[in-house]
């Protein structure tokens, strides 16, 4: 058999080492659900019977097998070249990488080396609160930031940046990627009394 992440012709899931990824990089948040469909194709020349997977990793659920509601005992006969599908759902809980192995059992004398067909389901759950500090990926800026006036270990994580606006003409940017559509609250912190000259009205623009 040949297994695809999605439809036939999509990303092939390799036996033993293949991974079906439900999302990462901020696309999967606690309390949300994500579904993915895999397609199984009989790539041999004789009929093969596919058995419904029963051992599913924690956090994942088989919600449809061979276009039917799973029972734990479904089977699907596939002629040469025919296809069928399995649909899995991931229910995001604790933050972090979640995953485990799935086995697809087949019955055929012509395909003994690929039963079971093993692959991994995984997802990376991101926190609903995302933070970008000056030293993190996603921070950038334009113009000139002086050398912190000799303060080399100031601020959170010791990476304060100071700018004498408008003299330096510097702007700082924090870019969040892979942010799902929705409504967000945005918070920023800065030192308003740096050497007695810090701003109490720092301007911010959200775009």
């Amino acid at each position: 058999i040949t297994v695809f992440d999605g439809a036939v012709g999509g990303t092939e899931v390799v036996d033993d080492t293949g991974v079906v990824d439900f999302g990462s990089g901020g696309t999967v948040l606690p309390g949300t659900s994500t579904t993915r469909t895999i397609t199984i194709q009989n790539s041999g020349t004789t009929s093969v019977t596919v058995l419904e997977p029963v051992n599913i990793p924690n956090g994942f659920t088989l919600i449809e097998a061979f276009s039917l509601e799973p029972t734990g005992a479904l089977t699907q006969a596939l002629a040469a070249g025919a296809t069928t599908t399995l649909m899995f759902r991931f229910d995001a809980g604790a933050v972090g990488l979640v995953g485990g192995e799935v086995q697809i059992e087949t019955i055929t004398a012509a395909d003994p080396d690929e039963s079971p067909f093993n692959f991994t389901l995984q997802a990376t759950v991101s926190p609903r609160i995302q933070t970008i500090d000056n030293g993190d990926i996603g921070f950038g800026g334009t113009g000139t930031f002086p050398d912190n006036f000799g303060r080399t270990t100031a601020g959170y994580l010791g990476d304060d940046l100071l700018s004498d606006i408008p003299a330096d003409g510097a702007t700082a940017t924090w870019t969040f990627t892979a942010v799902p559509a929705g409504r967000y609250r945005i918070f920023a912190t800065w030192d308003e009394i740096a050497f007695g000259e810090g701003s109490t009205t720092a301007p911010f623009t959200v775009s």
Side-chain angles (χ1 to χ4, degrees), residues 120-200:
T120 297
L121 302 179
Q122 75 173 32
T124 303
V125 184
S126 300
R128 287 188 174 273
I129 297 176
Q130 299 186 39
T131 302
I132 297 180
D133 189 56
N134 296 358
D136 296 335
I137 295 175
F139 174 77
T142 60
T144 301
F145 286 94
D147 62 358
N148 294 349
F149 303 101
R151 303 197 317 160
T152 57
T153 59
Y156 178 65
L157 298 180
D159 56 2
D160 257 8
L161 290 176
L162 304 179
S163 176
D164 182 12
I165 297 176
D168 297 327
T171 61
T173 59
W174 295 264
T175 303
F176 294 84
T177 59
V179 178
R183 300 178 65 182
Y184 295 86
R185 291 180 178 178
I186 300 175
F187 301 87
T189 61
W190 69 95
D191 186 353
E192 67 178 43
I193 317 177
F195 297 100
E197 298 177 354
S199 175
T200 59

Side-chain angles (χ1 to χ4, degrees), residues 17-194:
T17 61
V19 175
V20 176
D21 195 338
F22 282 65
S24 60
T27 61
V28 181
L29 301 176
T32 63
S33 297
T34 307
T35 61
R36 293 197 73 84
T37 299
I38 69 164
T39 301
I40 304 167
Q41 183 178 47
N42 180 1
S43 50
T45 57
T46 59
S47 178
V48 60
T49 298
V50 181
L51 281 62
E52 174 191 337
V54 292
N55 295 317
I56 311 300
N58 290 336
F60 299 85
T61 304
L62 179 65
I63 60 174
E64 185 179 287
F66 322 134
S67 299
L68 298 172
E69 182 178 350
T71 66
L74 295 176
T75 62
Q76 176 68 59
L78 294 178
T83 63
T84 190
T85 59
L86 299 172
M87 182 181 294
F88 296 91
R89 183 185 71 231
F90 174 65
D91 298 306
V95 171
L97 178 64
V98 182
E101 187 177 78
V102 173
Q103 293 185 342
I104 299 177
E105 300 276 356
T106 57
I107 303 174
T108 175
D111 198 18
D113 63 326
E114 288 193 0
S115 184
F117 186 104
N118 306 298
F119 63 98
T120 297
L121 302 179
Q122 75 173 32
T124 303
V125 184
S126 300
R128 287 188 174 273
I129 297 176
Q130 299 186 39
T131 302
I132 297 180
D133 189 56
N134 296 358
D136 296 335
I137 295 175
F139 174 77
T142 60
T144 301
F145 286 94
D147 62 358
N148 294 349
F149 303 101
R151 303 197 317 160
T152 57
T153 59
Y156 178 65
L157 298 180
D159 56 2
D160 257 8
L161 290 176
L162 304 179
S163 176
D164 182 12
I165 297 176
D168 297 327
T171 61
T173 59
W174 295 264
T175 303
F176 294 84
T177 59
V179 178
R183 300 178 65 182
Y184 295 86
R185 291 180 178 178
I186 300 175
F187 301 87
T189 61
W190 69 95
D191 186 353
E192 67 178 43
I193 317 177

